[in-house]
Amino acid sequence: LTESFYKDVALATVMKSPIGAFSDEDLALISITYQDYKKTQEQLSETSYFANAVLYYGESGDSPLKEKVQDFLKYIQDIRKLSDFVSAYDLLQKIIVEKNVKAYLLAGRNGEEKVRRLEFLLSTTIANGKRYSSKEFIKLVKGNAEVLKLANGGNDNAVKVMTIHASKGLEFPVV
């Protein structure tokens, strides 16, 4: 989200993670509230529907979810600002510590493996002793998703980063 807040899938994923800690019901309520608002405005479809729904709910929703959305938006805004000044490693470490991500992962199924993968992600933000900036790291990953591939990759319990074109025709239980 440091690069673009208006990518609905990424936004919803971060909101459901320990960073936002929103439930499915929270996300549905945000979307439905915005959908009802749009019907009254007679607006047609738009890009970044969910991102606009989140922004709308932060302004016009009902408490306490409205307060939670506002806190989330402020946190993301602060992280985005900070991403211009600190390395990708430091930024990710800050989020991991503040949102207790390792404990969240360890509490779930295959937690130790997930933490190992998170640590691998952190290690990819450093090359030859140099810490990539957030923008450099995003550019690196966009240019070569193989950077995030673990050496012992054959495990089916893994996140696979690929382009939409590379995934065409493949079936995944979660996308």
Side-chain angles (χ1 to χ4, degrees):
L1 294 181
T2 58
E3 188 175 86
S4 176
F5 178 81
Y6 292 95
K7 293 185 178 177
D8 289 348
V9 173
L11 174 59
T13 301
V14 172
M15 290 180 78
K16 293 243 336 147
S17 77
I19 296 169
F22 288 85
S23 68
D24 290 336
E25 292 78 16
D26 292 340
L27 299 186
L29 181 58
I30 290 167
S31 185
I32 289 167
T33 301
Y34 187 62
Q35 187 177 32
D36 291 345
Y37 164 75
K38 283 184 58 84
K39 284 180 185 174
T40 64
Q41 300 299 310
E42 298 183 32
Q43 295 176 356
L44 300 174
S45 66
E46 62 191 60
T47 58
S48 305
Y49 175 87
F50 188 69
N52 288 323
V54 171
L55 293 171
Y56 175 76
Y57 203 92
E59 294 174 8
S60 306
D62 295 325
S63 294
L65 182 56
K66 176 181 179 178
E67 190 174 312
K68 187 175 181 179
V69 169
Q70 289 173 336
D71 290 345
F72 173 78
L73 291 172
K74 171 131 179 43
Y75 186 77
I76 295 301
Q77 180 182 29
D78 291 347
I79 292 296
R80 290 179 79 181
K81 287 178 185 175
L82 193 57
S83 73
D84 289 334
F85 302 102
V86 300
S87 70
Y89 179 89
D90 292 335
L91 189 65
L92 288 172
Q93 274 291 64
K94 175 181 175 53
I95 294 167
I96 289 166
V97 170
E98 287 180 354
K99 297 301 180 175
N100 209 9
V101 174
K102 285 187 180 180
Y104 172 82
L105 294 175
L106 285 170
R109 188 169 160 241
N110 298 317
E112 290 179 12
E113 176 66 17
K114 290 176 183 176
V115 168
R116 187 175 76 80
R117 291 178 181 279
L118 179 63
E119 289 169 352
F120 175 77
L121 173 67
L122 282 172
S123 73
T124 61
T125 64
I126 302 171
N128 299 323
K130 178 193 180 279
R131 293 182 177 193
Y132 289 112
S133 71
S134 297
K135 289 180 182 177
E136 289 171 329
F137 183 66
I138 289 169
K139 186 177 179 180
L140 172 72
V141 172
K142 278 186 171 181
N144 182 12
E146 293 291 315
V147 168
L148 295 178
K149 192 173 186 177
L150 285 172
N152 61 348
N155 187 349
D156 284 335
N157 185 26
V159 173
K160 294 183 173 98
V161 178
M162 61 182 63
T163 66
I164 291 173
H165 298 292
S167 68
K168 188 175 181 179
L170 301 176
E171 293 184 19
F172 295 99
V174 177
V175 178

